Amino acid sequence: MEKGKGVMGAGRRWAVDFSDNSTAPSSRDIPDPPGFTRASVDQDDSAVSRQKKDAEANWKAQKAWEVAQAPFKNLLMMGFMMWMAGSTVHLFSIGITFSALWQPISALQGVGKVFEPYKDNKVDLLGPKLLFIALNLGGLALGVWKLNTLGLLPTHASDWVSSLSPAQ
């Protein structure tokens, strides 16, 4: 094949071949620069692609764990906001409480979508998914606890008086 012809199609007018095919002693007398080894140039492409796939799998696993731990930050923020809202029933405390209930429920419904970008044969997503679910269930429990402290859960006998038969 003629140099520069047919390498990348008709649009390429010239090409430079940088491979060292000469056996002249002058080119072999020059030592390689520091840090350069010919073994790294001649490394098998399959080994390089395997290393890239392993690095990508490690990155996906790390990101999956970061996504799984994200509800913890939300849990602390919601806890602080519910503490600041107080224990009296008013519009702000009810809004914060129902927000604290809605966010974990919607997050639990979308667990599959959250971890979709990190699916890989080499990445085990069971641990991150379980942590994500556990932290969201903790957020849900925090919201239910706040409902109880506001007195909005029917936990006392007096809450059920209307359903009891009248005393004889």
Side-chain angles (χ1 to χ4, degrees), residues 17-29:
D17 186 14
F18 287 109
S19 61
D20 185 18
N21 295 332
S22 67
T23 57
S26 62
S27 67
R28 296 290 180 199
D29 293 340

Side-chain angles (χ1 to χ4, degrees), residues 1-110:
M1 177 172 12
E2 209 174 298
K3 201 175 226 181
K5 300 254 187 194
V7 176
M8 292 292 289
R12 191 165 175 171
R13 295 184 183 187
W14 55 272
V16 179
D17 186 14
F18 287 109
S19 61
D20 185 18
N21 295 332
S22 67
T23 57
S26 62
S27 67
R28 296 290 180 199
D29 293 340
I30 302 171
D32 290 335
F36 177 82
T37 59
R38 294 207 181 268
S40 66
V41 174
D42 298 335
Q43 200 174 28
D44 189 21
D45 287 340
S46 65
V48 171
S49 65
R50 189 176 332 111
Q51 287 176 351
K52 285 182 180 179
K53 287 180 181 178
D54 289 344
E56 184 179 348
N58 289 338
W59 178 83
K60 285 182 178 182
Q62 181 183 3
K63 288 297 178 181
W65 278 107
E66 288 177 13
V67 168
Q69 294 171 358
F72 182 71
K73 297 173 189 172
N74 190 24
L75 190 69
L76 292 176
M77 182 190 67
M78 268 302 160
F80 178 72
M81 288 175 63
M82 285 191 281
W83 176 71
M84 290 297 291
S87 60
T88 59
V89 179
H90 57 280
L91 188 60
F92 185 68
S93 63
I94 291 174
I96 294 292
T97 304
F98 283 110
S99 174
L101 291 170
W102 179 253
Q103 286 178 356
I105 290 171
S106 63
L108 288 172
Q109 288 175 345

Side-chain angles (χ1 to χ4, degrees), residues 132-166:
F132 185 79
I133 290 169
L135 288 174
N136 279 305
L137 287 176
L140 194 60
L142 187 65
V144 171
W145 172 80
K146 184 62 176 181
L147 277 177
N148 188 36
T149 60
L150 291 175
L152 298 176
L153 290 180
T155 57
H156 301 292
S158 62
D159 295 328
W160 302 96
V161 169
S162 63
S163 63
L164 296 175
S165 61

Side-chain angles (χ1 to χ4, degrees), residues 98-122:
F98 283 110
S99 174
L101 291 170
W102 179 253
Q103 286 178 356
I105 290 171
S106 63
L108 288 172
Q109 288 175 345
V111 171
K113 286 185 179 180
V114 169
F115 290 98
E116 185 75 28
Y118 310 111
K119 276 188 178 178
D120 195 355
N121 292 338
K122 296 182 179 183

